[in-house]
Each structure stands twice: as structure tokens, then as C-alpha cells.
Amino acid sequence: FVYMSGRDGWYFDSKNTFCISLETAVDRRERMQSRFDWFGMDVSFCRAATPDECHENFIGYLSPRQRACTQSHINVWRHILENEIPYALILEDDAMFDLRWREKMNDLWEELRGREWDAVFLNASEPVSPLNKWVRAEEQFLCGAYVVSLAGVRNIFYIMRTLFENVVYMSDWTTSRLQEIGRCWTYFPWLVIQEGRESLIGSGFEMDHMKVVRCLGEVGYDISGNYR
């Protein structure tokens, strides 16, 4: 879909919008496709890695599911790098969108005009303040929905080579270290929340759905009325 021109604002289509989903998760893809159709989004589904397809030098304490989740994100990062995609929206297959997420993203484009940036987190592990304003992301640990720039991907792989000494940690821990550069952004109320159903590819630091409900309720943001 296009809601602003590529030169003057965000431009997302199937070449730079990726939804990670297990091949067997047919019901999840159907629900996601329904959302994409409702928002007029053109999205490429990316097959999530399975535990037996994980070939990175993972830190030893990760579970098979955590390794597979991280491998799935790394596969997308490599695709972005190899194809020199300027920026991409990466989603897991349990994302629910704020009904005004496009409008709020447009506000950020104006804020980032002419500035270098690494990533934009549409969901995050903790609320931020002030409300309804884009702020620097710090110590946020979710990878359910984020936009990453080509520069951000290059920095991710640099962090993996140097800070991590070629040992691979969880994807959400890796992106949290990317935030230390100071060029990542997030927003609250979150532009994307996760459905709250059992995660098939989710990270080891999954946000408890009741926490989502509580945090949004504390600021008067009703899930049923504001997300699809």
C-alpha cells in the first residue's frame, strides 16, 4: 500500500513489508491477511524458520523456539541487506494494528526528515511518555512489529560481529542493543499489539497479554475500540 510517496514519506509494499509465519500456521496467516486487506496492505509472507533450520552460532541458553524465532528475523535482515532495501516493516503473525497507525507513522516521517535513524518499534515491552508522541526507544524488548532501515540492519550485524563476538542472542535483545546508538523510536499507546494467543514463533520475552490490557487501560485506551 502507499499512503505517502516514497520520496516524501513512508512507502510500504510487498517488496519491503514482511510478515513472518510458520508454514503450518494457516489460521494465523488467514487472520493476518484479513487485517492486511482491511488496511489495504500489500505484504509478503516469509516462512518462519523451524528449530532444525537454525544454523547460527547461538548462545547456549536459548530454547529451540527462541533460536527459530531469532533465525527468522536474521533471515529477513539478510534479505534487506543483500537487496539493499532502504527500510522495511517486519511483522510477526499475531500483530493487531492501531486503527490510526498510518497517520501516526506519518507524523514520525516529518520528525525524521533529514535525520539518520535505525529502527522504529510499533510495539514495545514497556510504555513510554509523554503519551501520543514519538520518543527515543531505550531498553525495549519486542520484535513483533518494527520498521528497520538499511543502516539499522548494517548496525545490527556490526553489533553481532563486535559486541556479541559472533555469538547470536535473541532478536529482541539484539534490537535492544541497537537502541543504545540513540537512533531508534517508539510510541505509546503502541501502534501494534499482539493478539494474546499462544505464540508459535514469539520471543522468549513475550509480553503478557494482561499487561497489555492493563497498561492501555491505565491511559484509557480500549483494545476493542482501537485495534484490529
Side-chain angles (χ1 to χ4, degrees), residues 58-194:
F58 290 100
I59 190 73
Y61 58 74
L62 297 186
S63 70
R65 181 178 291 187
Q66 290 172 327
R67 294 183 183 207
C69 175
T70 299
Q71 185 70 64
S72 301
H73 285 269
I74 290 174
N75 291 346
V76 178
W77 297 340
R78 287 205 174 105
H79 177 79
I80 294 167
L81 189 62
E82 291 167 1
N83 292 276
E84 297 188 335
I85 298 172
Y87 57 85
L89 171 59
I90 302 173
L91 303 163
E92 293 181 356
D93 64 355
D94 57 352
M96 296 177 62
F97 295 85
D98 180 289
L99 299 179
R100 295 176 52 231
W101 74 276
R102 296 175 174 176
E103 176 185 339
K104 295 171 183 179
M105 283 288 291
N106 288 349
D107 292 340
L108 179 62
W109 182 269
E110 293 301 318
E111 204 166 322
L112 293 181
R113 187 183 297 274
R115 303 167 68 175
E116 294 184 340
W117 60 279
D118 287 323
V120 178
F121 295 90
L122 309 190
N123 75 337
S125 55
E126 298 296 332
V128 296
S129 61
L131 294 177
N132 302 307
K133 183 175 176 62
W134 289 98
V135 299
R136 297 291 177 93
E138 298 178 347
E139 296 295 313
Q140 298 288 349
F141 293 93
L142 278 183
C143 282
Y146 59 103
V147 181
V148 62
S149 70
L150 181 58
V153 171
R154 288 173 174 154
N155 282 332
I156 285 172
F157 283 112
Y158 178 78
I159 288 168
M160 293 168 66
R161 287 194 309 271
T162 58
L163 180 64
F164 295 171
E165 298 180 334
N166 292 314
V167 175
V168 176
Y169 292 78
M170 275 296 299
S171 51
D172 56 5
W173 175 255
T174 303
T175 56
S176 75
R177 298 313 92 193
L178 178 68
Q179 294 164 23
E180 293 184 343
I181 299 174
R183 305 194 314 185
C184 296
W185 301 83
T186 193
Y187 190 99
F188 186 74
W190 301 296
L191 272 62
V192 169
I193 61 172
Q194 292 168 295

